[in-house]
């Protein structure tokens, strides 16, 4: 008799987890997506901004050709179909968005389909993960909350708009992964491809690559997808793996207790210290 691993236990379980990833990659352009302001990390706050970044009246956004070329480069590397795309304004109000809208290809993306091939460690075999779409959009500015307190709020919020309008590529998979390990291995392979093609630096700690995981659970053999939960704030590949595994346990626990209705479509944040989502 030997002690089974978490993966073996999961394989014997009557529940399976379903995972899809949304990865934002900052594109390595000299300038922003619609303005000549430098696209550079680490400069003094609010030095890399133009009237276009702030959406001042009369300013005219002009698309950065290089951003589209970089998106097409990785799209071709991943076997996507490259298509004519359209930019739309997505209006919403939040202090990190000085214009009051984000320009995004969300509705008509530059690339569809494609895949990422991964070899799982320890003889786990090969997997092909299908991509749904890839679209270009603008990043937001960055807010820092001073004296932040969960109950009392914060004393002051500082806005740095250097990042506002920098080009992002959002790469969305089909709900095709079945474990935290698969999600983590997919993201690591994607990071290598981003770096190899020099589309971006793919740096998780500087936020130039950001991964959100969508996790649901269903009975093995069930065709329908369960209700998904989105988890953000994943700063490492191991955190990604732990967050998926945590959600699998949490959602399975609720289903087994007859409380499946308590699984609601929501966004949860990963707490690396407590090693749980909330
Ligand atoms: P939204 O519009 O809420 O962003 P999408 O349908 O665009 O949702 O999917 C976002 C991501 O979530 C994709 O990677 C997709 O594969 C994944 N996803 C969608 N439904 C589920 C589900 N039930 N379980 C797990 N992942 C899912
Ligand atoms: Mg989506």
């Amino acid at each position: 008799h030997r002690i089974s691993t978490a993966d073996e236990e999961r394989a014997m379980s009557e529940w399976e987890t379903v995972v899809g990833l949304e990865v934002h990659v900052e594109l390595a352009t000299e300038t922003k997506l619609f303005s000549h302001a430098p696209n550079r990390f680490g400069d003094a706050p609010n030095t890399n901004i133009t009237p276009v970044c702030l959406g001042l009246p009369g300013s005219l956004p002009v698309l950065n050709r290089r951003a589209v070329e970089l998106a097409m480069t990785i799209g071709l590397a991943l076997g996507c179909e490259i298509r004519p795309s359209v930019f739309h304004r997505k209006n919403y109000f939040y202090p990190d968005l000085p214009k009051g809208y984000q320009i995004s290809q969300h509705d008509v993306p530059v690339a569809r389909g494609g895949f990422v091939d991964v070899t799982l460690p320890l003889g786990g075999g090969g997997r092909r993960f299908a991509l749904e779409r890839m679209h270009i959009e603008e990043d937001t500015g960055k807010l820092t909350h001073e004296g932040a307190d969960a109950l009392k709020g914060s004393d002051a919020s500082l806005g740095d708009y250097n990042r506002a309008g920098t080009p992002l590529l959002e790469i969305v998979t089909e709900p095709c992964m079945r474990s935290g390990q698969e999600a983590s291995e997919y993201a690591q392979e994607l990071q290598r491809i981003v770096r190899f093609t020099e589309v971006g630096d793919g740096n998780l700690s500087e936020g130039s690559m950001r991964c959100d995981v969508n996790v649901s659970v269903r009975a093995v053999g069930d065709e329908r997808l369960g209700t998904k939960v989105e988890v953000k704030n994943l700063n490492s590949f191991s955190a990604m793996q732990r967050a998926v595994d945590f959600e699998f346990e949490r959602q399975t626990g609720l289903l087994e207790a007859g409380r499946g209705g308590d699984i609601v479509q929501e966004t949860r944040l990963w707490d690396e210290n407590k090693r749980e989502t909330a």
Side-chain angles (χ1 to χ4, degrees), residues 37-248:
N39 173 20
R40 211 163 43 223
F41 179 81
D43 285 2
N46 296 315
T47 50
N48 296 338
I49 48 181
T50 68
V52 171
C53 306
L54 302 176
L56 296 185
S59 62
L60 178 69
V62 177
L63 178 60
N64 184 337
R65 179 188 185 99
R66 187 74 190 133
V68 182
E69 287 171 353
L70 291 173
M72 288 165 62
T73 299
I74 190 162
L76 290 171
L78 299 179
C80 305
E81 180 196 356
I82 308 296
R83 299 166 56 98
S85 50
V86 178
F87 285 95
H88 283 133
R89 286 185 181 188
K90 182 171 158 188
N91 292 282
Y92 69 94
F93 291 95
Y94 197 72
D96 66 3
L97 190 71
K99 296 202 298 255
Y101 60 87
Q102 176 198 39
I103 307 180
S104 168
Q105 288 183 331
H106 191 270
D107 298 328
V108 190
V110 62
R112 284 188 197 275
F115 55 87
V116 172
D117 284 334
V118 166
T119 305
L120 298 181
L122 304 172
R127 296 277 190 285
R128 172 162 289 188
F129 297 123
L131 302 175
E132 184 184 306
R133 54 187 284 138
M134 233 183 250
H135 63 263
I136 304 170
E137 62 187 24
E138 298 178 285
D139 207 347
T140 59
K142 201 167 181 169
L143 298 179
T144 310
H145 305 289
E146 301 258 294
D149 181 306
L151 294 176
K152 285 183 280 180
S154 47
D155 299 332
S157 293
L158 304 174
D160 175 7
Y161 297 108
N162 282 351
R163 201 180 65 182
T166 63
L168 286 181
L169 186 67
E170 180 172 347
I171 303 170
V172 184
T173 72
E174 301 279 354
C176 57
M177 291 160 223
R178 295 292 175 268
S179 68
Q181 188 193 46
E182 289 189 358
S184 158
E185 292 295 328
Y186 161 81
Q188 290 176 66
E189 181 64 14
L190 188 61
Q191 183 189 55
R192 287 189 281 268
I193 296 169
V194 164
R195 290 177 170 172
F196 182 78
T197 54
E198 298 181 353
V199 157
D201 64 24
N203 201 328
L204 260 64
S205 57
E206 287 181 357
S208 44
M209 178 169 163
R210 305 193 283 270
C211 308
D212 303 334
V213 298
N214 297 270
V215 189
S216 64
V217 167
R218 66 182 172 188
V220 170
D222 204 339
E223 295 273 297
R224 283 171 313 156
L225 293 173
T227 302
K228 72 166 171 163
V229 166
E230 181 183 36
V231 186
K232 291 180 180 276
N233 203 27
L234 299 163
N235 294 323
S236 68
F237 297 118
S238 55
M240 200 176 301
Q241 181 161 350
R242 281 195 285 270
V244 172
D245 291 344
F246 177 87
E247 274 302 305
F248 176 70

